[in-house]
Amino acid sequence: MALACFSSCNDEGEENAIPQYSFFKPYLEWGSSKTQIASKMADCVVLLDTDNTLCYQSEGETIAYAFKNGKLNTVVVIPERALPLDEILLAFNGYTLLGEYDNMVYLNEQSNTIAEIEDSNGFYTISWSQYGLDMANAVDLGLSVKWADVNLDMGYDDYAALTPENIQDDMTRYFNGLIGWGDPTGIKKSEIESDYPKASSISGTIYDVAKVKWGGKWRVATQSEFQELISACIWIWEERNGYYGYKVIGPNGNSIFLPTTGYRIGLSWYSSDKGYYWTGTMRPGTSPYPYVLNFDKANKGLNTSSVSGLAYPFKHFGCAIRPVQDE
């Protein structure tokens, strides 16, 4: 079922080759049910069939479809052979390159699609994921903005991760939820500061990972919005389903839960018993440190030295993101 180069005829009836990718082109019909995908893939060999995954093999290639709440939201293709990158890139006409780090990440806003090309010594894996729809609930706390009820997360298994209602193990939390400041792809692990943007604010810009990944009205919260969350709300330390954090109760009685997250440097994870959340605002002056909400059981604040581990983070540190929407 791998696709070969397509062709067409000119006026004299001669065939002209139309460049086309030669690996399997998946069905990117977001929201499709398992039954619909199974029907379209009926001629392929079934490798795996679970509640949330369908995996097939066709002419040596592996094609996996992942579902959230019974609807298609991720597709991964592993080609049968090593393909030239130029050939693979033909599949991404109409996409915008977001970043080229360990992987290449593309965005197609029209189809609500994030595409990623992962290079493993010249052998590429291609994935497509839905973004921007049904990622979180916007909770009205009675403040100037509405807050998401979950943290932003990069994992394929569940886009609404780091939530007490949706338990994930520590490694999933570590890999998927801790993002460098101003990294719109959410996957960069570079420890070089110059690999991250020089900007006074990233909220709502091309460097805003919440805007890029979730779309719609979502964006990274600013320093002033986090300060309002601290000063105008009641914070209660509690445990939910094995994770500690703060229940934050707004002036109108509605609440959100901010779990502990730890922070990441490169591929190392630290202080998992504390919470670290990026704002989209850089500290004024020549300081290279963005504002960050940091907390433990006894203390909370923006860049507070009372919480050990990360009072003044560099941009390449990975911290959690709790998106907001304007009222």
Side-chain angles (χ1 to χ4, degrees), residues 239-254:
E239 179 267 336
R240 292 193 187 183
N241 298 325
Y243 292 115
Y244 286 90
Y246 278 104
K247 179 180 181 180
V248 183
I249 306 172
N252 62 4
N254 294 333

Side-chain angles (χ1 to χ4, degrees), residues 251-272:
N252 62 4
N254 294 333
S255 67
I256 58 174
F257 181 72
L258 297 177
T260 57
T261 61
Y263 66 95
R264 177 187 54 76
I265 300 178
L267 296 176
S268 298
W269 187 32
Y270 303 93
S271 300
S272 61

Side-chain angles (χ1 to χ4, degrees), residues 274-276 294-296 298-301 304-311:
K274 300 176 178 63
Y276 302 95
N294 52 340
F295 62 74
D296 57 19
N299 302 281
K300 62 182 182 297
T304 176
S305 58
S306 299
V307 179
S308 62
L310 194 65

Side-chain angles (χ1 to χ4, degrees), residues 110-132:
Q110 186 175 1
S111 63
N112 295 310
T113 302
I114 289 282
E116 184 173 344
I117 304 171
E118 181 179 356
D119 181 5
S120 178
N121 298 320
F123 192 88
Y124 296 97
T125 298
I126 306 99
S127 63
W128 293 260
S129 299
Q130 184 186 31
Y131 88 99

Side-chain angles (χ1 to χ4, degrees), residues 194-248:
S194 60
D195 285 344
Y196 299 83
K198 292 182 178 180
S200 59
S201 175
I202 60 169
S203 182
T205 73
I206 60 173
Y207 303 115
D208 187 328
V209 66
K211 178 181 176 64
V212 169
K213 294 294 186 181
W214 282 8
K217 298 179 180 179
W218 294 110
R219 59 176 175 81
V220 174
T222 65
Q223 175 265 338
S224 60
E225 288 159 353
F226 263 107
Q227 189 59 59
E228 179 186 39
L229 189 73
I230 294 171
S231 59
C233 296
I234 299 172
W235 291 57
I236 301 174
W237 184 264
E238 64 180 34
E239 179 267 336
R240 292 193 187 183
N241 298 325
Y243 292 115
Y244 286 90
Y246 278 104
K247 179 180 181 180
V248 183

Side-chain angles (χ1 to χ4, degrees), residues 53 67 82 85 104 109 115-116 139 161 216 233 268 286 302-303 317:
T53 305
F67 302 83
L85 181 59
M104 301 179 70
E109 289 187 281
E116 184 173 344
V139 180
C233 296
S268 298
T286 59
L302 294 177
N303 303 84
F317 288 13

